[in-house]
Amino acid sequence: MKLNNALGKVYLVGAGPGAADLITVRGAKLLAKAGIVFHDALVEPEMLALCPQATLVPVGKRCGKLSSAQHFINKRLVDAAYKYQTIVRLKGGDPMLFGRADEELSSLKDAGIEVEVVPGITAALAAAASIGQSLTLRGVSRSVAFVTLAQATENSGFGQPLANPSADTLVYYMGRKDASRIAQQLIEQSPNHGINTPVQILEAVSTPRERQWGSTLSELAAGKADQWFDRSSPALIMIGEALKQNATTSLEGSSPEINNRLQDSQVFAHSRRCA
């Protein structure tokens, strides 16, 4: 469809992993001139402070909570182009990874509205930086897979979830409620991952609320991390031998309250909390 130059332009902007200063320069400049910003639920308040002139519209999706239907978000983006010159759809991480950007892009292009994607840092890369461990390692890991078990609740036509990939390092997004099941399945079915395979879990990566849990696949399968999780924070589960150097802390029998007391008794660099 031919683009209508009289309409505004929509930018799908990656907000990055959380910290406001990890957004790209291009993304920050677009926020500063946007007339309206449609933002995810996980976008930090400090990030939204970069666009004080804009109308802010929350359109986030959170598991188990009231969320905006994707088709409704698509329509609002199209409608906004008739009223504003610069429209930002601010997505956590990178728009092109588990962000349903394809649906928004299709709707906007079908309506003849100009659209541009501005990439962002995905949480897996920020997590690797936080623990100081590459997701790849010469002679150990030469492949990485980003995985999600989350499925659309709308009538999307998707079938059964795919089997776990066979990559050397696995990074699970939105896997908190399925953490023990993921580990059990890997132990039973994956030739690359056994009971002693290192596991790193990070919550609220790159923010002052960041927390870390390190152990093995067998402890994750046994549910040892279940009580540690903070349901209000996004969690990332990383699994693979490349993480062995850092997988030395087991939190058997611990709880979020115990971990928080430990965190409060120590000072960590960059205000990050490590359990």
Side-chain angles (χ1 to χ4, degrees):
M1 179 177 290
K2 184 178 179 180
L3 298 178
N4 188 337
N5 294 327
L7 301 178
K9 181 175 180 179
V10 177
Y11 296 86
L12 307 188
V13 177
D21 57 355
L22 285 180
I23 192 173
T24 63
V25 173
R26 181 181 296 181
K29 288 181 177 179
L30 286 169
L31 283 179
K33 72 174 186 177
I36 188 169
V37 174
F38 297 89
H39 62 89
D40 281 353
L42 296 178
V43 173
E44 295 288 309
E46 293 81 4
M47 183 78 67
L48 299 178
L50 299 177
C51 49
Q53 80 294 338
T55 299
L56 300 179
V57 182
V59 291
K61 297 181 175 67
R62 296 299 303 274
C63 183
K65 296 183 179 181
L66 185 64
S67 302
S68 300
Q70 186 61 49
H71 68 86
F72 185 57
I73 296 174
N74 299 344
K75 182 180 185 305
R76 297 195 73 176
L77 289 173
V78 171
D79 291 345
Y82 287 85
K83 184 177 179 181
Y84 300 92
Q85 280 301 300
T86 301
I87 302 98
V88 168
R89 171 68 173 100
L90 189 62
K91 293 173 171 287
D94 183 275
M96 309 303 278
L97 188 66
F98 306 135
R100 301 183 71 171
D102 53 331
E103 299 171 57
E104 295 173 2
L105 287 167
S106 295
S107 294
L108 291 164
K109 289 177 180 178
D110 288 346
I113 296 168
E114 189 176 4
V115 58
E116 178 181 328
V117 178
V118 179
I121 300 172
T122 190
L125 304 184
S130 181
I131 64 175
Q133 183 64 57
S134 174
L135 299 178
T136 59
L137 185 62
R138 186 184 296 272
V140 175
S141 173
R142 60 179 182 177
S143 58
V144 179
F146 296 158
V147 191
T148 181
L149 300 183
Q151 300 185 74
T153 56
E154 301 159 39
N155 185 22
S156 59
F158 294 158
Q160 294 298 314
L162 298 174
N164 287 307
S166 58
D168 297 322
T169 303
L170 301 175
V171 182
Y172 286 85
Y173 288 70
M174 298 167 280
R176 176 177 56 232
K177 67 183 180 64
D178 299 304
S180 60
R181 183 167 65 89
I182 289 170
Q184 292 165 9
Q185 183 173 332
L186 286 173
I187 292 172
E188 293 170 0
Q189 303 177 5
S190 173
N192 294 343
H193 302 96
I195 60 174
N196 294 319
T197 300
V199 173
Q200 285 285 334
I201 303 176
L202 288 91
E203 288 186 339
V205 175
S206 80
T207 74
R209 304 183 307 282
E210 181 178 308
R211 301 167 68 231
Q212 301 174 8
W213 185 90
S215 190
T216 63
L217 205 55
S218 62
E219 289 203 335
L220 186 63
K224 298 296 177 63
D226 291 353
Q227 297 304 312
W228 175 83
F229 283 112
D230 179 353
R231 295 182 180 276
S232 66
S233 295
L236 197 73
I237 303 171
M238 304 192 296
I239 301 168
E241 291 297 328
L243 307 170
K244 178 172 289 185
Q245 179 179 346
N246 290 282
T248 57
T249 303
S250 172
L251 295 178
E252 183 174 353
S254 63
S255 68
E257 290 76 17
I258 293 174
N259 291 333
N260 286 337
R261 287 199 296 271
L262 289 172
Q263 294 159 11
D264 293 340
S265 67
Q266 302 179 51
V267 178
F268 295 91
H270 309 300
S271 298
R272 292 178 182 171
R273 296 178 172 180
C274 304

